[in-house]
């Protein structure tokens, strides 16, 4: 695959190589392949997402945010990128920026549950547990089998010292 990447010089192939190398434990070589892929095609979502995720993993959320912002300028309603922008903002400590990004994702696609979950997690960080609880229940109202919302509710209930409620949510998640 590495030879094919060098021979074809395609951003998509370089991205695939980078992801495969990282999966194989070759972190630095994989990251460098992702850098080359992104430099070759910075407008490509296919190269930007793995590169931004690698930057986050390497502890560079600001640069990851810049990469994501570049895609959002071209695709302002791309909910996955808006969600990823929220993740980069939160990683830099900008909760307000993260909330805004998650809110934009929800506005673009109200049934995009990862953004709802992430907003609830910020509520918890801000010690607004009642609001987080309400958000999780809101997800379950429209998607009753949403296991992640059930598991988050179980974790929240446990953190609030309500083990019986936590167990109830775990059992419900198991039965789905």
């Amino acid at each position: 695959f590495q030879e094919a990447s060098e021979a074809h010089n395609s951003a998509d192939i370089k991205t695939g190589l980078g992801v495969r190398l990282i999966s194989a434990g070759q972190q630095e070589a994989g990251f460098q392949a992702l850098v080359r892929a992104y430099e070759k095609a910075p407008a490509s979502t296919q190269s930007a997402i793995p590169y931004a995720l690698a930057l986050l993993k390497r502890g560079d959320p600001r640069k990851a945010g810049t990469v994501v912002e570049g895609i959002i300028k071209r695709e302002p309603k791309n909910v996955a990128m808006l969600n990823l922008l929220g993740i980069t903002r939160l990683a830099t400590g900008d909760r307000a920026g993260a909330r805004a990004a998650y809110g934009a994702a929800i506005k673009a696609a109200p049934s995009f549950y990862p953004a709802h979950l992430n907003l609830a997690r910020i509520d918890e960080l801000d010690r607004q547990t009642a609001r987080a609880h309400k958000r999780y229940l809101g997800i379950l109202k429209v998607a009753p089998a949403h296991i992640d919302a059930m598991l988050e509710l179980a974790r929240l209930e446990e953190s609030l010292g309500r083990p019986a409620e936590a167990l109830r949510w775990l059992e419900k998640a198991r039965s789905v």
Side-chain angles (χ1 to χ4, degrees):
F1 196 80
Q2 196 162 2
E3 290 173 13
S5 171
E6 298 306 322
H8 292 314
N9 205 21
S10 156
D12 288 344
I13 291 175
K14 287 189 182 314
T15 299
L17 172 65
V19 170
R20 282 181 176 75
L21 287 169
I22 289 170
S23 296
Q26 298 178 35
Q27 304 298 319
E28 189 57 33
F31 179 74
Q32 291 307 318
L34 293 176
V35 169
R36 287 191 302 275
Y38 178 74
E39 288 171 347
K40 184 162 188 61
S44 165
T45 304
Q46 288 76 14
S47 65
I49 291 173
Y51 179 51
L53 292 173
L55 286 166
L56 277 170
K57 188 174 182 180
R58 292 170 74 95
D60 196 348
R62 290 193 196 291
K63 190 167 186 177
T66 301
V67 170
V68 172
E69 287 170 347
I71 297 297
I72 291 172
K73 284 179 185 172
R74 289 182 295 285
E75 301 176 36
K77 294 192 185 278
N78 183 325
V79 294
M81 296 307 284
L82 290 166
N83 193 61
L84 185 52
L85 180 62
I87 292 168
T88 66
R89 293 290 183 262
L90 189 58
T92 65
D94 179 6
R95 290 183 189 169
R99 278 187 187 279
Y102 298 140
I106 291 167
K107 184 176 180 183
S111 63
F112 185 71
Y113 299 118
H116 289 275
L117 291 168
N118 287 332
L119 272 176
R121 292 175 185 131
I122 293 176
D123 289 339
E124 289 185 63
L125 289 172
D126 290 340
R127 295 183 181 15
Q128 297 177 2
T129 55
R131 185 192 289 181
H133 194 268
K134 185 177 178 181
R135 284 190 202 277
Y136 294 135
L137 290 176
I139 293 170
L140 292 171
K141 184 175 182 180
V142 293
H146 199 286
I147 292 175
D148 289 335
M150 290 178 210
L151 295 175
E152 290 295 331
L153 273 166
R155 187 190 48 71
L156 177 61
E157 294 290 0
E158 181 68 28
S159 74
L160 295 173
R162 300 189 293 235
E165 282 298 304
L167 183 59
R168 184 175 75 80
W169 284 112
L170 289 173
E171 288 172 349
K172 189 167 183 168
R174 189 182 70 196
S175 71
V176 172

